[in-house]
Amino acid sequence: MRSEICVIAIFALLVVGSSGRSRARAETVQPSSSLGKCEVIRDKLAKYQSVCKKIIQDRRRHIQIYDNLARNLQFNNTHLQSTIIEHAATIISRNDLLVNCEREAKEREKKLCSLGIALNSTLIQLRESNETVAALSSQNALLESELSEKKAEIDKQNETIDALSTLVGNQNSSVLELKQANMLQLKELADHQNTINMLQAELVRSNAAVEALGKQNDELRAQLSASNASIKHLNELVEGYGSCCQASSCVAFGASNTVHMIQVSGVPDPFQVLCNSQLAGNGWTVIQRRINGEVDFYRSWDEYKRGFGNVTGEFFIGLERLHHMTKDTPQQLYVWLEDFSNNTRYASFDDFKIGSEQEAYALLSLGKHQGTVGDAMRMNRGQKFTTFDQDNDADEVNNCAELRHGAWWYDHCGYSNLNGFYAEADLEYDYADKGIFWADDDFHESDYSLKSVIMMIRPKVSKETL
Ligand SMILES: *[C@@H]1O[C@H](CO)[C@@H](O)[C@H](O)[C@H]1NC(C)=O
Ligand SMILES: *[C@@H]1O[C@H](CO)[C@@H](O)[C@H](O)[C@H]1NC(C)=O
Ligand SMILES: *[C@@H]1O[C@H](CO)[C@@H](O)[C@H](O)[C@H]1NC(C)=O
Ligand SMILES: *[C@@H]1O[C@H](CO)[C@@H](O)[C@H](O)[C@H]1NC(C)=O
Ligand SMILES: *[C@@H]1O[C@H](CO)[C@@H](O)[C@H](O)[C@H]1NC(C)=O
Ligand SMILES: *[C@@H]1O[C@H](CO)[C@@H](O)[C@H](O)[C@H]1NC(C)=O
Ligand SMILES: *[C@@H]1O[C@H](CO)[C@@H](O)[C@H](O)[C@H]1NC(C)=O
Ligand SMILES: *[C@@H]1O[C@H](CO)[C@@H](O)[C@H](O)[C@H]1NC(C)=O
């Protein structure tokens, strides 16, 4: 650009020079030399050249300055721009602040207003309070006068108190005495406490003792139960005695298996009985026994009435005695059976009762059956006694005593015949239905004659006597 400016400057000089020349030509039309003229032009050109040089230098300097200015300006411009931006931001924030300030100012104003109201009301209250205070002051004055009156009263009371004090002083001595008494009582109380403690310990021991006693009690109860058993036994024994301490049954002889005298009410004289305690417990009185065939049992009514045989061997006790023995005292009947193979069975009944001679010594009752062999006497219940010479049986054609070769409470002869013919051994068929039999499907039928029979009775022990 500078070079362009310079070219323009030189061209301008040339234009200026040529016009000068034409003026010079006009001047040099004179006959001066043309060489002079060229020298002048040359000088002028040199002058122009220096001028041009100077101009160029200026221009360069100016360009320099302009460049600097431009640079400076640009810098300032950007600076200003950033400054402007900053200012704008500042203005915005200031504006915000201003808005806030305005809002706050309004709020303040509001608060101030409300505070003013509050203040006003406070003032009103204060005024009222002042009035109240004034009222109170007047009241206070009144109270003070009252107080002074009260003080006077108190003074009076003080005197009374003084008087009372001396009284208290006197009482103090009694209090002292009471205190001493109290001390004594406290001591006594402590003693009582000790006693209580001791008693409590004793109670604990007692509890243990009670526990031990409980155990002992249990033992005693067991013993009592045992005692009850022996009392029962003794009662049985007692029951074995009739009036005047004479035994009325084998119960009186306890565990006896021998012959004893008994006296049965209704029977004129005492008589011998065999006792048995081997088969079914103590106290049984044997009423009939078959063991060896030594004694003939095919006997008359009169003999069965009185009894017969050997009390240590085979015998029948007698229907009259049996009637009196079973008349008033309920009796159990125990029938023991043995065959020739030494097998044994028993049947027992709990209410055995024989009628009087007028009743033909009927089997009035037998009671409940129980045992290891069946009830072969079930047909005989209620039947009268029959002997070969006195036919009381239910068989209207025959005498069962003859048919069975015995004497019994026959009906249509029935299933039992314990007073039958004694066979030396089981004589099947030969003496069928005539031997000693107790018919039972599970034992022997009427065709088997047994080896041994024992019939015995014992009083039922009544519950009332226990
Ligand atoms: C640029 O700013 C400086 C300082 O603020 C000042 O002296 C100068 O004159 C300014 N230049 C232009 C070209 O405005
Ligand atoms: C307070 O009470 C005075 C006069 O008693 C009244 O001029 C003033 O406006 C009240 N100010 C307000 C805030 O109510
Ligand atoms: C309350 O009473 C006191 C003096 O008794 C007085 O100085 C004060 O101004 C009163 N205030 C008003 C609210 O009346
Ligand atoms: C009453 O007596 C007591 C002492 O006895 C004393 O301290 C008190 O001030 C008395 N009171 C008056 C009202 O005299
Ligand atoms: C009574 O006795 C108590 C203590 O026992 C004592 O403090 C009190 O002053 C006594 N009062 C008088 C009147 O002696
Ligand atoms: C013993 O017999 C009596 C009455 O006879 C009865 O009250 C008691 O409970 C019996 N005691 C025992 C332990 O059997
Ligand atoms: C009675 O029977 C026993 C045993 O069978 C016998 O020893 C005794 O001699 C008999 N006595 C009489 C008198 O028959
Ligand atoms: C039955 O017992 C008697 C005596 O107890 C004995 O002599 C006899 O040999 C026994 N009979 C049988 C078949 O066991």
Side-chain angles (χ1 to χ4, degrees):
M1 188 178 156
R2 262 174 270 163
S3 60
E4 276 171 39
I5 292 170
C6 193
V7 167
I8 291 167
I10 290 168
F11 180 74
L13 281 176
L14 284 176
V15 169
V16 172
S18 70
S19 63
R21 220 179 324 159
S22 42
R23 255 183 277 128
R25 222 183 271 148
E27 285 175 19
T28 59
V29 172
Q30 296 146 14
S32 48
S33 73
S34 55
L35 195 69
K37 275 182 186 179
C38 240
E39 277 181 3
V40 171
I41 288 167
R42 206 198 299 152
D43 287 344
K44 278 186 180 177
L45 202 59
K47 273 184 190 173
Y48 285 136
Q49 267 176 337
S50 68
V51 167
C52 202
K53 228 181 195 175
K54 211 183 158 217
I55 286 169
I56 284 167
Q57 278 172 350
D58 282 348
R59 287 286 150 96
R60 276 204 187 125
R61 214 180 57 244
H62 284 152
I63 285 165
Q64 188 75 38
I65 288 163
Y66 281 133
D67 270 0
N68 284 343
L69 273 175
R71 216 174 291 134
N72 208 339
L73 213 58
Q74 202 170 354
F75 174 78
N76 279 9
N77 200 24
T78 50
H79 183 69
L80 274 173
Q81 246 170 5
S82 66
T83 311
I84 284 165
I85 286 168
E86 276 171 25
H87 280 199
T90 312
I91 284 165
I92 286 168
S93 72
R94 287 275 157 81
N95 203 33
D96 285 354
L97 275 176
L98 199 64
V99 169
N100 280 347
C101 276
E102 272 173 13
R103 204 187 296 140
E104 261 177 54
K106 270 177 193 164
E107 280 171 13
R108 291 258 166 88
E109 209 175 333
K110 267 191 207 164
K111 274 186 192 168
L112 214 59
C113 190
S114 66
L115 275 175
I117 293 166
L119 195 66
N120 268 8
S121 72
T122 309
L123 273 173
I124 290 161
Q125 279 179 354
L126 208 62
R127 242 173 251 133
E128 283 169 6
S129 294
N130 260 10
E131 285 162 20
T132 315
V133 165
L136 283 174
S137 298
S138 63
Q139 267 185 344
N140 204 25
L142 272 172
L143 282 174
E144 258 170 21
S145 71
E146 273 181 45
L147 199 65
S148 61
E149 280 170 27
K150 283 273 154 73
K151 261 186 188 163
E153 270 180 49
I154 286 169
D155 282 344
K156 271 187 198 166
Q157 282 178 350
N158 256 8
E159 284 165 23
T160 320
I161 284 168
D162 284 344
L164 283 174
S165 276
T166 54
L167 206 81
V168 167
N170 294 342
Q171 283 183 345
N172 254 9
S173 57
S174 349
V175 164
L176 251 159
E177 280 169 27
L178 281 173
K179 260 187 187 167
Q180 280 166 358
N182 204 17
M183 288 280 273
L184 280 173
Q185 279 182 350
L186 274 174
K187 200 170 162 258
E188 215 171 309
L189 202 66
D191 287 349
H192 281 185
Q193 191 56 48
N194 283 343
T195 316
I196 284 167
N197 286 348
M198 267 161 59
L199 283 174
Q200 246 158 2
E202 215 167 304
L203 192 67
V204 168
R205 278 200 296 279
S206 290
N207 271 350
V210 164
E211 217 165 285
L213 280 175
K215 277 182 197 156
Q216 212 174 326
N217 197 22
D218 288 345
E219 283 167 20
L220 282 175
R221 205 164 286 170
Q223 282 180 13
L224 186 64
S225 178
S227 295
N228 269 1
S230 34
I231 284 169
K232 184 180 166 186
H233 172 65
L234 285 173
N235 272 330
E236 284 175 7
L237 288 189
V238 166
E239 206 153 285
Y241 287 94
S243 54
C244 305
C245 297
Q246 174 67 62
S248 64
S249 83
C250 281
V251 168
F253 308 110
S256 170
N257 289 292
T258 57
V259 175
H260 294 275
M261 289 295 282
I262 65 166
Q263 169 89 65
V264 174
S265 128
V267 179
D269 300 314
F271 56 94
Q272 284 196 318
V273 287
L274 176 66
C275 297
N276 186 301
S277 52
Q278 282 173 330
L279 298 176
N282 295 346
W284 291 91
T285 306
V286 180
I287 60 166
Q288 188 258 30
R289 183 148 89 145
R290 310 294 300 274
I291 49 174
N292 49 25
E294 253 179 19
V295 173
D296 184 6
F297 271 66
Y298 196 53
R299 303 237 182 183
S300 68
W301 179 265
D302 193 49
E303 284 173 294
Y304 267 97
K305 174 184 168 182
R306 284 185 282 109
F308 58 83
N310 174 358
V311 81
T312 61
E314 293 192 323
F315 68 93
F316 180 72
I317 199 164
L319 291 165
E320 189 62 24
R321 287 174 186 162
L322 217 42
H323 163 61
H324 287 291
M325 287 169 90
T326 61
K327 188 174 153 223
D328 299 320
T329 313
Q331 302 281 345
Q332 303 162 271
L333 170 68
Y334 191 95
V335 177
W336 181 80
L337 311 166
E338 186 181 27
D339 67 13
F340 284 96
S341 309
N342 294 356
N343 296 311
T344 63
R345 293 284 192 280
Y346 83 90
S348 73
F349 301 89
D350 68 359
D351 191 14
F352 179 62
K353 200 181 197 93
I354 300 301
S356 64
E357 186 166 21
Q358 286 74 38
E359 295 166 305
Y361 300 118
L363 178 58
L364 295 181
S365 142
L366 261 178
K368 237 173 70 193
H369 160 267
Q370 188 250 320
T372 55
V373 72
D375 178 5
M377 282 181 82
R378 60 186 177 277
M379 308 301 289
N380 305 113
R381 278 183 172 82
Q383 295 299 326
K384 294 169 177 172
F385 204 77
T386 288
T387 54
F388 60 77
D389 60 344
Q390 206 169 120
D391 184 0
N392 297 317
D393 61 34
D395 189 326
E396 280 164 19
V397 182
N398 304 296
N399 180 337
C400 285
E402 284 176 354
L403 280 184
R404 295 286 185 254
H405 193 84
W408 201 242
W409 297 274
Y410 297 115
D411 65 320
H412 285 284
C413 300
Y415 302 119
S416 52
N417 194 42
L418 299 186
N419 293 328
F421 179 77
Y422 192 95
E424 292 297 331
D426 164 32
L427 295 173
E428 210 174 339
Y429 306 122
D430 295 359
Y431 290 94
D433 299 340
K434 286 182 169 39
I436 303 167
F437 65 82
W438 184 277
D440 185 303
D441 288 347
D442 294 330
F443 192 42
H444 297 292
E445 297 295 346
S446 59
D447 54 11
Y448 186 99
S449 191
L450 296 163
K451 186 177 84 174
S452 308
V453 168
I454 292 175
M455 290 174 75
M456 51 192 194
I457 61 171
R458 184 172 72 174
K460 281 170 79 174
V461 179
S462 56
K463 295 223 166 70
E464 298 81 55
T465 57
L466 281 183

